[in-house]
Amino acid sequence: MDARVELRKKLLKKTKEQMNEKFAGKEIHIIKAVRLLSDLDSINNLMSENASEWKLREPRGEAADAFTELNENTERIASEKKKLMEFIEKEMDAEFPNFSIIATPVLGAKLLASAGSKKRLCFMPASTIQVLGAEKALFAHLRKKANSPKHGHLFNHPLMQKLPRFKRGKVARIIAGKLSIALKQDYFNGENTSKNVLAELEKEIAKIAAEPVTPKQEQREKVLIEQHTEGAKKETSEKSRTWTPEERRAYFAEKNKTSGSGDGPRQTPFKRNEGNTWQKPHHESRHFGGGGFAPRGERSERPAFGRNENKSKSFGKGRFNKPKHSFMKF
Amino acid sequence: MQKLFDGIFSKKNKIYTKNLLPGKRVYGEKLVKIDGVEYREWDAFRSKYCAALKSGLTQSIFFSGATVLYLGSAEGTTVSHVSDIVGEEGNVFCVDISEIAMKKLAALAEERQNLFPIISDAQLTKNYKEYFEKKADAMFQDISQRNQADIFVRNAALLKKGGLGAIAIKTKSISQAKEKLDVLSGEIKTLEKEFEITQVVNLEPFEKHHYLVLVKKK
Ligand SMILES: C[S@@+](CC[C@H](N)C(=O)[O-])C[C@H]1O[C@@H](n2cnc3c(N)ncnc32)[C@H](O)[C@@H]1O
């Protein structure tokens, strides 16, 4: 009887500790803010797109009223975004003085959101930080179906811009290494050395950028671009043409052989949008989480890494795939 | 009040459990007093076990004094009734992965002396198997994951031989495209590794695409 009471006490205490760890930190508000920010970003883009199209058609009367309101709302969202950004900058500087300098505040906050909590982020190996935000690609890779991703959120790092594709992987690795050190300093209240680190990093990357391109690398760059645009175009156009029944059967026989489960092709990370440009579907890591039930806020707080790793292996398949053959015309 | 199973009562097509903490509601359910005993109404639209009771479950897995392993306890809607059924002498170990859902459950566990909250992934039984010196008498699972049956089988080691179990299976979490009966039979095959299947209950109209499978540990 006593043992039972004791066990219950112990479990209650442990549960509380686990919950505190999850909720206590200020980081939860940073995470919420940065998620909101990226949602507002897409909303804002859609609205401005609408506004500029509408403007061309010279709205009058009631249409003009609606148009004005649209513009006002767009502005309001822009100012909310600005406030959010300021909030994120302030909080990130307070919670992660070193990390925030090297990563830049908003990008740092995105990494934090992907990791799920301060503690988890701070104890992550550099190699994991490097691919945070590219979970989909990573798990595709783990299932041995794709190349390993070289960068997730880090792709948007200011130091990565302007670099040719084949150099980005290397640079992402270097930045991730520095970030990992900065995180440990922040977690253990170490010194603030990041300004120097950043300066060094800039020099190092400038050096890499200046390295001459070998013909082999040039070839790789071409292949990479091909993979990202032409390849996807070709694959999709192949699927959207009209198939004869024989072709269709042959196609499925082949697919079933290669993918085993017959779950359809996976390597179509690009979808067509109206302007005939090629765009990544926006669903990636936002709704990352099992196929299961969880209150909405909850689901998005699930860590992309760590505890859920096991589960993750199984869910990439169905959840992110397009309905099996929706774009085929038979 | 008519006794349906141990600790489970019915009256006029409604299902009730005896309130362990008279006067207290858990999720806004109705309280009724009959002959000086207070009962809590069990909502079949919010609890899959109750839905199964209404859909003709032939045997109840919970009984007074039982030690129960409950996987996917969420905010404790169903758990609270299980807690009523097993009574003060019983134990309900509530496993859930989500800290947010656990917030409510932890508050419930403070009040109800027979609840033992555990924040863990139910796939990682090593996190909590140490608490089961004595194996559980009954095991319940309501987790909408792709590998639900697999998770249940992994936890089978914590259930005593001959112990009863029930698992709510959401066919939509396993495959959107496959016919639901195909999915169900696939899951049942997995369960048969460790269990004998006693009954399969379709939970419609209370829950769409859900079944409750009643099993017995081999
Ligand atoms: C449908 S709810 C359960 C509802 C509950 N049985 C009731 O009737 O009150 C499913 C719960 O399973 C939890 N869950 C999902 N995956 C889990 C996992 N791998 N391990 C443990 N719990 C999990 C979710 O957090 C969620 O709270």
Side-chain angles (χ1 to χ4, degrees):
Chain A
M1 197 62 196
D2 252 5
R4 175 184 178 230
V5 174
E6 208 120 285
L7 176 59
R8 193 168 153 272
K9 256 195 205 150
K10 183 178 140 190
L11 286 179
L12 277 171
K13 194 167 150 234
K14 191 170 170 196
T15 305
K16 258 192 215 140
E17 281 168 6
Q18 276 172 292
M19 287 193 302
N20 284 344
E21 191 191 306
K22 174 90 184 179
F23 298 121
K26 271 191 187 163
E27 72 245 36
I28 186 70
H29 301 291
I30 305 180
I31 293 173
K32 292 279 172 209
V34 78
R35 292 232 168 101
L36 178 58
L37 186 68
S38 58
D39 278 353
L40 288 181
D41 255 339
S42 18
I43 295 172
N44 218 350
N45 286 344
L46 279 175
M47 287 169 89
S48 342
E49 210 172 286
N50 272 308
S52 57
E53 269 176 30
W54 205 349
K55 195 175 171 192
L56 292 178
R57 301 199 164 63
E58 295 173 7
R60 283 174 229 280
E62 275 181 48
D65 292 344
F67 177 71
T68 319
E69 193 164 342
L70 173 63
N71 279 331
E72 282 168 8
N73 282 335
T74 314
E75 247 163 62
R76 229 169 281 151
I77 289 180
S79 90
E80 187 181 345
K81 260 174 57 183
K82 210 173 136 220
K83 273 189 214 147
L84 271 176
M85 236 126 91
E86 281 163 13
F87 168 77
I88 291 171
E89 271 167 35
K90 204 179 83 212
E91 293 293 315
M92 284 298 286
D93 282 343
E95 290 281 311
F96 302 91
N98 285 300
F99 173 65
S100 174
I101 288 178
I102 302 178
T104 70
V106 173
L107 184 73
K110 282 186 184 163
L111 291 170
L112 171 66
S114 285
S117 77
K118 179 171 180 174
K119 190 171 172 192
R120 229 176 248 134
L121 179 63
C122 291
F123 286 91
M124 262 178 190
S127 54
T128 309
I129 296 174
Q130 187 184 340
V131 295
L132 271 183
E135 286 80 13
K136 189 186 164 198
L138 178 65
F139 292 120
H141 165 61
L142 289 179
R143 283 196 304 275
K144 301 207 173 65
K145 283 190 180 168
N147 293 336
S148 72
K150 290 171 194 63
H151 35 58
H153 293 311
L154 278 189
F155 184 78
N156 295 319
H157 194 280
L159 291 176
M160 293 272 275
Q161 310 304 312
K162 292 185 204 152
L163 282 176
R165 273 167 203 279
F166 60 85
K167 287 183 179 173
R168 288 188 193 171
K170 183 173 178 185
V171 171
R173 196 174 64 233
I174 296 171
I175 299 178
K178 300 283 188 235
L179 288 179
S180 153
I181 297 168
L183 281 167
K184 266 126 213 145
Q185 285 176 328
D186 289 341
Y187 194 80
F188 297 106
N189 299 320
E191 290 168 67
N192 294 359
T193 55
S194 294
K195 291 239 167 72
N196 302 337
V197 177
L198 188 63
E200 273 169 34
L201 200 56
E202 272 164 12
K203 260 188 237 155
E204 198 175 334
I205 290 170
K207 226 197 258 163
I208 292 174
E211 278 170 10
V213 181
T214 64
K216 202 173 152 199
Q217 284 170 330
E218 206 168 357
Q219 179 57 29
R220 269 205 70 207
E221 170 84 359
K222 249 194 215 150
V223 171
L224 281 172
I225 292 175
E226 158 90 6
Q227 271 173 8
H228 278 80
T229 52
E230 295 302 318
K233 256 188 222 175
K234 208 174 97 199
E235 194 171 337
T236 313
S237 67
E238 184 156 294
K239 270 170 210 143
S240 54
R241 79 191 155 80
T242 314
W243 288 39
T244 66
E246 289 80 51
E247 276 178 324
R248 197 176 74 207
R249 242 171 272 135
Y251 177 82
F252 283 124
E254 185 60 31
K255 277 292 161 199
N256 285 338
K257 231 192 287 159
T258 48
S259 72
S261 61
D263 230 339
R266 265 193 57 79
Q267 300 88 337
T268 48
F270 295 85
K271 73 172 183 197
R272 195 170 195 147
N273 71 7
E274 273 180 8
N276 200 17
T277 49
W278 297 90
Q279 197 186 43
K280 232 177 165 183
H282 59 259
H283 54 224
E284 263 216 27
S285 58
R286 273 297 326 243
H287 301 296
F288 207 71
F293 162 90
R296 184 183 133 68
E298 159 56 16
R299 172 179 307 181
S300 47
E301 262 145 45
R302 292 270 183 74
F305 283 84
R307 195 171 53 182
N308 279 15
E309 241 159 346
N310 278 343
K311 189 176 63 189
S312 311
K313 280 186 192 141
S314 67
F315 69 61
K317 260 189 178 168
R319 197 175 159 75
F320 292 119
N321 264 355
K322 295 196 180 96
K324 245 189 193 167
H325 332 286
S326 63
F327 39 61
M328 291 189 193
K329 292 186 199 112
F330 291 138
Chain B
M1 229 8 109
Q2 192 192 345
K3 187 172 160 187
L4 212 59
F5 295 108
D6 196 11
I8 303 174
F9 305 87
S10 79
K11 190 181 174 185
K12 286 197 192 143
N13 220 358
K14 290 201 172 116
I15 298 199
Y16 299 87
T17 56
K18 222 182 262 180
N19 197 350
L20 188 70
L21 299 176
K24 291 222 161 151
R25 282 194 179 84
V26 176
Y27 56 100
E29 71 281 19
K30 265 194 203 140
L31 302 179
V32 299
K33 213 166 198 173
I34 292 170
D35 298 332
V37 182
E38 188 176 284
Y39 297 88
R40 296 194 305 124
E41 190 180 319
W42 199 345
D43 187 344
F45 287 96
R46 300 190 53 180
S47 166
K48 282 156 214 160
Y49 195 73
C50 183
L53 288 168
K54 284 202 168 183
S55 311
L57 196 70
T58 51
Q59 223 177 338
S60 175
I61 66 170
F62 308 116
F63 54 89
S64 169
T67 295
V68 176
L69 174 56
Y70 193 115
L71 305 167
S73 48
E75 303 193 333
T77 312
T78 307
V79 168
S80 68
H81 289 284
V82 177
S83 156
D84 282 348
I85 298 169
V86 300
E88 272 162 23
E89 302 290 301
N91 309 298
V92 186
F93 290 86
C94 312
V95 180
D96 201 293
I97 196 170
S98 138
E99 285 93 349
I100 291 189
M102 210 30 120
K103 228 177 177 176
K104 266 205 176 161
L105 192 92
L108 197 68
E110 292 278 355
E111 293 177 343
R112 290 176 171 254
Q113 309 290 322
N114 55 15
L115 298 187
F116 297 70
I118 297 167
I119 298 182
S120 165
D121 188 332
Q123 303 182 51
L124 308 176
T125 50
K126 67 170 185 335
N127 286 352
Y128 50 86
K129 70 172 179 217
E130 57 179 297
Y131 310 133
F132 291 85
E133 266 173 26
K134 193 179 131 245
K135 291 197 174 178
D137 301 308
M139 185 159 105
F140 183 81
Q141 178 182 309
D142 179 5
I143 289 178
S144 330
Q145 292 283 351
R146 279 178 151 257
N147 55 344
Q148 344 181 339
D150 191 46
I151 297 178
F152 199 66
V153 167
R154 279 193 213 188
N155 281 277
L158 304 178
L159 181 66
K160 73 176 183 196
K161 218 176 150 192
L164 293 183
I167 172 174
I169 290 186
K170 182 179 177 187
T171 51
K172 274 267 155 98
S173 331
I174 298 160
S175 168
Q176 291 280 346
K178 276 193 210 155
E179 186 55 41
K180 59 185 179 182
L181 287 178
D182 291 346
V183 175
L184 182 68
S185 60
E187 295 297 281
I188 285 180
K189 219 175 239 161
T190 312
L191 292 173
E192 278 173 342
K193 283 183 218 157
E194 293 276 350
F195 303 97
E196 273 167 36
I197 311 297
T198 313
Q199 193 192 0
V200 181
V201 187
N202 186 345
L203 298 188
E204 280 192 50
F206 303 106
E207 296 271 0
K208 275 196 178 160
H209 312 292
H210 274 84
Y211 292 88
L212 191 107
V213 180
L214 191 68
V215 299
K216 190 169 168 186
K217 170 96 182 277
K218 276 184 192 165

